[in-house]
Amino acid sequence: MRKYDIKNKRNIGIILAISVGIIIMFSLCIKIFLSTDREEYQVSSNTIVFDKDKEIIKLSDSGIIKTKWNKEYYLTYQKEDYELGNTALAYNEEKGEIYLYGRYYEIGSSEEINITENETVIKSTALTKFYKLADRKYLVIDKEIKSSDGLLTTTDFLMVDLDKVGNATLTNHKVSLKTFSETTIVTSNYTFDIANEILTYGSDKIDLKKIIGSSNTYTKEDLIPEENNDGEQGGGGTGSDTSIIEENNNPGSNGNNTVTIEEVKKETKRTSIISVTSSVSKITVDYVIYDPKNEYTSVYMEVNRAGASDIERVRLNSNSTVYELSNLIPNTSYDLTFKYSYLDEENNEQTETFDNVTITTKSPSISLKVTRTSPGKIHYLITTDNSYPINSATLLVLINNTEVQRSEISIDGNTTSSIDVPNIEGNDTVELRLVDFKSNGNVINGLTASTKFKY
């Protein structure tokens, strides 16, 4: 039998000790890795979750959203795993709550940007919010979300993903579409020029490309100030400062990079429409008339209300930059065509169209609730939007989902009244529904209010 000398025995001992040490260290690393806290969140039934490709997963049972070692989010549901990406969104249709997972940059009208991480719960979409998720990825949250051209109308939230040339995919629980032209999203508190990545709160414009960067190659000449003789860009320094998040995700210093609507007007060197916004009964048009040689004989817009045959012609004053259309019908689409006329070389008047916008006025808020009941009688309260007068409506009474009565009622602000409803029996399901609202004889389209209860 071979005998080992002392030197060989020492070498073997060293090798064994090193091997044991490596095994122990490797085991400790695995233990630490496996014991590291992972984000894990319970998701209730009646919730929809969007996977990495924006496909909807509707949960009839509870599920779990969690992160794995690669920091990606996954949904575990009915013994299957669905890949969600490095951020995720879920929406509970019953509660009306939105759940965000991962890092989101909430951008408000103030100078601060709020970074949220892990799970963020938004209890109500009445709280208007705007988030940037990553390069060319955004989230719009509002009770009512529209495009300025009136082609998109939706609610609650809208995920916006841009490609590198400014086209956008718009997705939520109701819509999924792609835009191939400039699109501006309008909410109750801000507008979002998607292709240019410009967020506007009132007169404050925020360049979203400067927040964690952007690989968007789309440009619009109207939004790029001309250089002055010193090679510096004009129009800077007059807007409010905006806190910038650099690409390393650390807050940077404040800068004067905000472009306001007034700056755009000053820098625009051609006749153009800058913005069109609406309220319940008004449309506001910001415009520029650039006519250094005094060549225009007139500049005007043609206003055509949806469903109406007549067209109203409104002159735009070259000494002003804002025009307000008032006394409009709520929740109604208006087509605005902007034109200017001039005399050609033969002194004949010519007309050119330089822009066209379709925009929808907002709906007034209204609610209906039952205050008390008595035998054969229901007492109710109608609460209306004080900013817009509603004069009348049709009140429907439905018992067990069958219409049994309708009547025309007058409305004057907040209205308390009652209606006689005979033949109601115990445990009947009764619904009061208001339709065909009118203001000064005009029907307000798409506006309803209802309440339902057990008698």
mmCIF file of all heavy atoms in Angstrom, residues 107-126:
data_model
loop_
_atom_site.group_PDB
_atom_site.id
_atom_site.type_symbol
_atom_site.label_atom_id
_atom_site.label_comp_id
_atom_site.label_asym_id
_atom_site.label_seq_id
_atom_site.Cartn_x
_atom_site.Cartn_y
_atom_site.Cartn_z
ATOM 1 N N ILE A 107 -45.649 62.589 -12.581
ATOM 2 C CA ILE A 107 -45.270 63.945 -13.001
ATOM 3 C C ILE A 107 -46.474 64.863 -12.816
ATOM 4 O O ILE A 107 -47.519 64.674 -13.443
ATOM 5 C CB ILE A 107 -44.818 63.959 -14.471
ATOM 6 C CG1 ILE A 107 -43.686 62.943 -14.664
ATOM 7 C CG2 ILE A 107 -44.367 65.352 -14.886
ATOM 8 C CD1 ILE A 107 -43.408 62.607 -16.095
ATOM 9 N N GLY A 108 -46.344 65.828 -11.937
ATOM 10 C CA GLY A 108 -47.428 66.754 -11.652
ATOM 11 C C GLY A 108 -47.144 68.134 -12.188
ATOM 12 O O GLY A 108 -46.135 68.383 -12.851
ATOM 13 N N SER A 109 -48.032 69.061 -11.868
ATOM 14 C CA SER A 109 -47.880 70.427 -12.356
ATOM 15 C C SER A 109 -46.870 71.215 -11.539
ATOM 16 O O SER A 109 -46.406 72.267 -11.954
ATOM 17 C CB SER A 109 -49.230 71.147 -12.330
ATOM 18 O OG SER A 109 -49.770 71.138 -11.012
ATOM 19 N N SER A 110 -46.519 70.709 -10.367
ATOM 20 C CA SER A 110 -45.531 71.385 -9.535
ATOM 21 C C SER A 110 -44.126 71.005 -10.003
ATOM 22 O O SER A 110 -43.946 70.312 -10.993
ATOM 23 C CB SER A 110 -45.732 70.985 -8.066
ATOM 24 O OG SER A 110 -45.511 69.599 -7.904
ATOM 25 N N GLU A 111 -43.131 71.416 -9.269
ATOM 26 C CA GLU A 111 -41.749 71.198 -9.682
ATOM 27 C C GLU A 111 -41.223 69.818 -9.285
ATOM 28 O O GLU A 111 -40.135 69.440 -9.690
ATOM 29 C CB GLU A 111 -40.841 72.273 -9.082
ATOM 30 C CG GLU A 111 -41.152 73.680 -9.600
ATOM 31 C CD GLU A 111 -40.186 74.712 -9.062
ATOM 32 O OE1 GLU A 111 -39.299 74.330 -8.288
ATOM 33 O OE2 GLU A 111 -40.323 75.891 -9.420
ATOM 34 N N GLU A 112 -41.972 69.067 -8.494
ATOM 35 C CA GLU A 112 -41.461 67.796 -8.011
ATOM 36 C C GLU A 112 -41.983 66.622 -8.828
ATOM 37 O O GLU A 112 -43.096 66.640 -9.332
ATOM 38 C CB GLU A 112 -41.853 67.599 -6.542
ATOM 39 C CG GLU A 112 -41.201 68.605 -5.599
ATOM 40 C CD GLU A 112 -41.550 68.336 -4.164
ATOM 41 O OE1 GLU A 112 -42.346 67.404 -3.908
ATOM 42 O OE2 GLU A 112 -41.033 69.058 -3.296
ATOM 43 N N ILE A 113 -41.138 65.612 -8.937
ATOM 44 C CA ILE A 113 -41.526 64.348 -9.563
ATOM 45 C C ILE A 113 -41.488 63.283 -8.484
ATOM 46 O O ILE A 113 -40.462 63.092 -7.820
ATOM 47 C CB ILE A 113 -40.583 63.988 -10.720
ATOM 48 C CG1 ILE A 113 -40.707 65.037 -11.823
ATOM 49 C CG2 ILE A 113 -40.895 62.603 -11.264
ATOM 50 C CD1 ILE A 113 -39.734 64.874 -12.948
ATOM 51 N N ASN A 114 -42.601 62.613 -8.294
ATOM 52 C CA ASN A 114 -42.723 61.620 -7.238
ATOM 53 C C ASN A 114 -42.444 60.231 -7.798
ATOM 54 O O ASN A 114 -43.118 59.782 -8.723
ATOM 55 C CB ASN A 114 -44.128 61.682 -6.633
ATOM 56 C CG ASN A 114 -44.308 60.691 -5.511
ATOM 57 O OD1 ASN A 114 -43.383 60.403 -4.759
ATOM 58 N ND2 ASN A 114 -45.508 60.139 -5.405
ATOM 59 N N ILE A 115 -41.442 59.554 -7.248
ATOM 60 C CA ILE A 115 -41.101 58.206 -7.697
ATOM 61 C C ILE A 115 -41.775 57.199 -6.777
ATOM 62 O O ILE A 115 -41.571 57.219 -5.565
ATOM 63 C CB ILE A 115 -39.583 57.982 -7.686
ATOM 64 C CG1 ILE A 115 -38.888 59.018 -8.567
ATOM 65 C CG2 ILE A 115 -39.250 56.574 -8.158
ATOM 66 C CD1 ILE A 115 -37.379 58.929 -8.530
ATOM 67 N N THR A 116 -42.602 56.329 -7.344
ATOM 68 C CA THR A 116 -43.242 55.280 -6.558
ATOM 69 C C THR A 116 -42.649 53.932 -6.939
ATOM 70 O O THR A 116 -42.253 53.718 -8.088
ATOM 71 C CB THR A 116 -44.768 55.254 -6.792
ATOM 72 O OG1 THR A 116 -45.026 54.906 -8.165
ATOM 73 C CG2 THR A 116 -45.386 56.615 -6.509
ATOM 74 N N GLU A 117 -42.576 53.033 -5.981
ATOM 75 C CA GLU A 117 -41.994 51.713 -6.221
ATOM 76 C C GLU A 117 -42.850 50.643 -5.563
ATOM 77 O O GLU A 117 -43.762 50.933 -4.792
ATOM 78 C CB GLU A 117 -40.558 51.659 -5.685
ATOM 79 C CG GLU A 117 -39.618 52.605 -6.410
ATOM 80 C CD GLU A 117 -38.179 52.448 -5.962
ATOM 81 O OE1 GLU A 117 -37.905 52.786 -4.793
ATOM 82 O OE2 GLU A 117 -37.345 51.995 -6.759
ATOM 83 N N ASN A 118 -42.530 49.381 -5.882
ATOM 84 C CA ASN A 118 -43.260 48.228 -5.355
ATOM 85 C C ASN A 118 -44.732 48.317 -5.766
ATOM 86 O O ASN A 118 -45.022 48.501 -6.936
ATOM 87 C CB ASN A 118 -43.069 48.117 -3.844
ATOM 88 C CG ASN A 118 -41.604 48.010 -3.465
ATOM 89 O OD1 ASN A 118 -40.826 47.382 -4.177
ATOM 90 N ND2 ASN A 118 -41.215 48.633 -2.369
ATOM 91 N N GLU A 119 -45.675 48.279 -4.823
ATOM 92 C CA GLU A 119 -47.101 48.351 -5.180
ATOM 93 C C GLU A 119 -47.652 49.728 -4.845
ATOM 94 O O GLU A 119 -47.463 50.233 -3.741
ATOM 95 C CB GLU A 119 -47.908 47.287 -4.431
ATOM 96 C CG GLU A 119 -49.386 47.283 -4.833
ATOM 97 C CD GLU A 119 -50.216 46.294 -4.031
ATOM 98 O OE1 GLU A 119 -50.172 46.382 -2.782
ATOM 99 O OE2 GLU A 119 -50.906 45.452 -4.627
ATOM 100 N N THR A 120 -48.324 50.343 -5.816
ATOM 101 C CA THR A 120 -48.999 51.626 -5.622
ATOM 102 C C THR A 120 -50.477 51.428 -5.928
ATOM 103 O O THR A 120 -50.831 50.944 -7.008
ATOM 104 C CB THR A 120 -48.420 52.704 -6.548
ATOM 105 O OG1 THR A 120 -47.017 52.836 -6.311
ATOM 106 C CG2 THR A 120 -49.108 54.041 -6.311
ATOM 107 N N VAL A 121 -51.346 51.796 -4.986
ATOM 108 C CA VAL A 121 -52.786 51.618 -5.156
ATOM 109 C C VAL A 121 -53.430 52.976 -5.376
ATOM 110 O O VAL A 121 -53.254 53.902 -4.579
ATOM 111 C CB VAL A 121 -53.423 50.937 -3.930
ATOM 112 C CG1 VAL A 121 -54.926 50.723 -4.158
ATOM 113 C CG2 VAL A 121 -52.737 49.601 -3.648
ATOM 114 N N ILE A 122 -54.152 53.115 -6.478
ATOM 115 C CA ILE A 122 -54.887 54.348 -6.789
ATOM 116 C C ILE A 122 -56.360 54.043 -6.575
ATOM 117 O O ILE A 122 -56.978 53.289 -7.327
ATOM 118 C CB ILE A 122 -54.611 54.804 -8.231
ATOM 119 C CG1 ILE A 122 -53.105 55.051 -8.399
ATOM 120 C CG2 ILE A 122 -55.408 56.064 -8.565
ATOM 121 C CD1 ILE A 122 -52.672 55.253 -9.818
ATOM 122 N N LYS A 123 -56.910 54.615 -5.517
ATOM 123 C CA LYS A 123 -58.258 54.260 -5.084
ATOM 124 C C LYS A 123 -59.349 54.767 -6.010
ATOM 125 O O LYS A 123 -60.415 54.172 -6.114
ATOM 126 C CB LYS A 123 -58.512 54.815 -3.674
ATOM 127 C CG LYS A 123 -57.637 54.206 -2.592
ATOM 128 C CD LYS A 123 -58.083 52.789 -2.283
ATOM 129 C CE LYS A 123 -57.321 52.218 -1.094
ATOM 130 N NZ LYS A 123 -57.737 50.844 -0.780
ATOM 131 N N SER A 124 -59.110 55.887 -6.668
ATOM 132 C CA SER A 124 -60.152 56.471 -7.517
ATOM 133 C C SER A 124 -59.514 57.201 -8.688
ATOM 134 O O SER A 124 -58.522 57.917 -8.520
ATOM 135 C CB SER A 124 -61.011 57.454 -6.719
ATOM 136 O OG SER A 124 -61.876 58.179 -7.566
ATOM 137 N N THR A 125 -60.090 57.025 -9.879
ATOM 138 C CA THR A 125 -59.580 57.726 -11.048
ATOM 139 C C THR A 125 -60.046 59.181 -11.087
ATOM 140 O O THR A 125 -59.725 59.906 -12.018
ATOM 141 C CB THR A 125 -60.024 57.013 -12.342
ATOM 142 O OG1 THR A 125 -61.456 56.870 -12.334
ATOM 143 C CG2 THR A 125 -59.381 55.644 -12.439
ATOM 144 N N ALA A 126 -60.824 59.586 -10.070
ATOM 145 C CA ALA A 126 -61.150 61.005 -9.948
ATOM 146 C C ALA A 126 -59.887 61.794 -9.595
ATOM 147 O O ALA A 126 -59.818 63.003 -9.789
ATOM 148 C CB ALA A 126 -62.221 61.222 -8.888
#
